[in-house]
Amino acid sequence: MPVFSDRLCLVQPSSGYQIVSHQYALALTFPYLIRFLELDKKFRLSLYVEGRTEQSFSRHLQGEQPYFVLITSNTATFPHAVKLAQIAKSEGCYVILGGIFASMNAERISTNYPCFDKIIKGAPLAGMFDQFPLDRIVEGRRQYDIDFEVGDIWDLPLFDCYRNDPVCYEITFGCVYNCNFCSLRRIWNAGVCSHRSVEVVRSDLKRLANRQILKIIDDDILQSPHILAACDFRLSFKKVIAETRIDRVNEQSISVLREFGVTHLIMGVESFENEHLVSSLKSRSGIWTETVFKAMDLCARYHITARPVLQVLYPGMSKNYLQNILPYIRDWTPTNNIEVFFSFFTPHPGLDSGKGIASNLLTNDLADFDHLHPVYMPDGYDID
């Protein structure tokens, strides 16, 4: 049973390329955590961002002497999270892992990685440190309530290392769609959304106005019509990145997004193969292809940089798929104001992978799910 201590260290692992090379945006993981647990009032905090300091993690722990070490991790950074957790344990710390990756793979992590004392599955519970749960896997809430101001957390010297980075922001948490390749619906309440109010967004905008780039990480920004109608981000940021479904892009919606201040629009194309589109509840290929190119044309007309996302590896894909799609995407280049993103289907072994998927996994070792190792192979392909 852990003892109470007011010293707590927040840890963001690197993947070796995300934090250092690409300067990825600061997601609001830590401010959310601080808000939910009210840590800014009750704890003495330190922050270790791997790749942003020359100080070793051991030296940081020896200097700050925290008892609790909270590590956030995604798929790519998990191997580094394990390494940092092992260091923290060697320094006598109590290590807690949280985040979406931990939520999706909690049972497997609990079984195979003893370096984590607690694993938070879902959103962290308020007051968790006052009455610490006995179970190793802590079941949190399955839905965020995000209608709160980020507040003065941004002013904490703790976050100075992020001052020159883009910042991520959520207007709506949740998704009303039912795409079968998405894992998030399995750990959060499917179809349930939490919205920030206009007043909260306007207040946060004032605090975030010194940032150059804002990335709105909602699954579909068009689920927030109250914000789109009432707020204008154009004067606050040089670049505003948002995401929507490609079949929701039309003359009216793209005009609203432009007036709102969106400069870059991420859109899930996913595939041009009929079977995959139908099974993932998108559309049929003929209609879908027409929809995709209409959306691209609208983005060009309204001077919004299009960022189509295309899956290039998924269950059931045909052997010649990659060659077949070349005519569709040959002109998708930055010179044409299109920045195409490619994604890979990577089912997590910690989830029920579904029929015909588990047998195609090349490994069950979560340390290999780092975006660098092959972990899944469709039927008809081989490792060479």
Side-chain angles (χ1 to χ4, degrees):
M1 184 71 166
V3 297
F4 179 82
S5 169
D6 67 348
R7 293 179 179 266
L8 190 150
C9 178
L10 304 172
V11 180
Q12 182 178 358
S14 168
S15 64
Y17 59 91
Q18 278 186 316
I19 300 299
V20 180
S21 302
H22 294 296
Q23 300 287 294
Y24 268 29
L26 165 66
L28 298 186
T29 302
F30 293 138
Y32 281 161
L33 194 61
I34 291 173
R35 190 269 178 181
F36 280 123
L37 303 180
E38 298 179 347
L39 301 180
D40 51 332
K41 299 177 183 177
K42 298 161 58 174
F43 283 75
R44 296 177 60 182
L45 300 174
S46 66
L47 172 65
Y48 187 83
V49 181
E50 189 181 22
R52 290 289 178 89
T53 176
E54 295 181 359
Q55 186 182 48
S56 70
F57 187 44
S58 293
R59 184 64 61 85
H60 177 87
L61 294 176
Q62 291 164 8
E64 297 292 339
Q65 296 186 334
Y67 180 69
F68 292 111
V69 170
L70 272 66
I71 302 179
T72 183
S73 172
N74 59 26
T75 307
T77 62
F78 181 70
H80 285 240
V82 171
K83 177 190 68 177
L84 295 172
Q86 291 169 341
I87 293 172
K89 291 299 296 178
S90 70
E91 296 290 341
C93 300
Y94 192 89
V95 182
I96 303 171
L97 179 71
I100 291 176
F101 183 83
S103 298
M104 288 194 290
N105 299 285
E107 287 76 15
R108 184 172 289 270
I109 293 172
S110 176
T111 301
N112 296 293
Y113 296 93
C115 53
F116 299 109
D117 296 291
K118 282 281 188 291
I119 300 154
I120 299 177
K121 186 176 182 180
L125 295 169
M128 186 177 74
F129 288 90
D130 296 329
Q131 200 168 19
F132 213 84
L134 295 177
D135 295 336
R136 188 160 176 233
I137 297 176
V138 180
E139 291 276 356
R141 291 171 294 178
R142 294 195 66 212
Q143 182 192 0
Y144 274 122
D145 174 14
I146 68 169
D147 193 26
F148 61 87
E149 296 180 14
V150 174
D152 297 329
I153 289 173
W154 287 113
D155 299 327
L156 293 176
L158 194 68
F159 296 110
D160 282 346
C161 63
Y162 294 119
R163 292 299 177 199
N164 297 320
D165 282 0
V167 64
C168 293
Y169 186 71
E170 281 181 312
I171 297 172
T172 299
F173 180 85
C175 184
V176 298
Y177 305 113
N178 195 30
C179 302
N180 69 352
F181 53 80
C182 179
S183 299
L184 296 184
R185 294 178 64 86
R186 305 189 192 189
I187 59 169
W188 302 112
N189 281 353
V192 178
C193 294
S194 174
H195 303 272
R196 274 196 168 95
S197 64
V198 171
E199 293 74 21
V200 165
V201 172
R202 284 176 173 166
S203 175
D204 284 343
L205 271 181
K206 294 178 182 178
R207 291 184 168 90
L208 299 174
N210 62 332
R211 305 286 174 146
Q212 298 291 308
I213 301 173
L214 179 73
K215 183 176 181 182
I216 300 169
I217 55 176
D218 300 16
D219 289 289
D220 182 3
I221 191 174
L222 293 175
Q223 291 186 92
S224 304
H226 63 300
I227 301 297
L228 294 174
C231 298
D232 186 347
F233 283 26
R234 287 175 295 182
L235 299 178
S236 302
F237 306 96
K238 290 184 178 180
K239 182 188 292 186
V240 177
I241 305 165
E243 182 173 350
T244 189
R245 278 177 62 106
I246 206 158
D247 50 357
R248 297 201 66 189
V249 177
N250 53 44
E251 191 87 36
Q252 180 182 2
S253 64
I254 203 76
S255 176
V256 169
L257 292 176
R258 182 61 184 172
E259 289 297 311
F260 178 72
V262 171
T263 60
H264 294 67
L265 188 60
I266 301 171
M267 300 170 286
V269 175
E270 313 307 351
S271 175
F272 289 109
E273 263 188 346
N274 192 66
E275 183 177 351
H276 182 53
L277 290 170
V278 172
S279 67
S280 52
L281 303 179
K282 292 290 185 180
S283 181
R284 294 192 176 275
S285 57
I287 301 172
W288 190 250
T289 302
E290 181 181 354
T291 302
V292 169
F293 282 93
K294 280 184 177 179
M296 297 296 166
D297 290 341
L298 282 169
C299 285
R301 281 172 49 198
Y302 282 84
H303 306 289
I304 293 177
T305 299
R307 288 185 168 179
V309 181
L310 190 63
Q311 291 190 13
V312 293
L313 183 67
Y314 54 81
M317 68 181 289
S318 64
K319 184 75 172 178
N320 298 320
Y321 176 66
L322 299 181
Q323 288 78 19
N324 293 341
I325 66 173
L326 286 178
Y328 296 104
I329 66 172
R330 198 177 300 278
D331 295 328
W332 289 6
T333 63
T335 55
N336 291 327
N337 214 28
I338 299 175
E339 300 173 354
V340 60
F341 284 48
F342 296 103
S343 65
F344 294 82
F345 178 85
T346 53
H348 288 259
L351 292 171
D352 177 11
S353 299
K355 183 179 180 181
I357 293 178
S359 60
N360 292 76
L361 287 172
L362 300 175
T363 177
N364 285 318
D365 186 351
L366 293 177
D368 289 334
F369 283 68
D370 58 0
H371 300 177
L372 299 176
H373 293 84
V375 296
Y376 177 84
M377 183 170 60
D379 292 333
Y381 284 74
D382 55 59
I383 195 64
D384 296 327

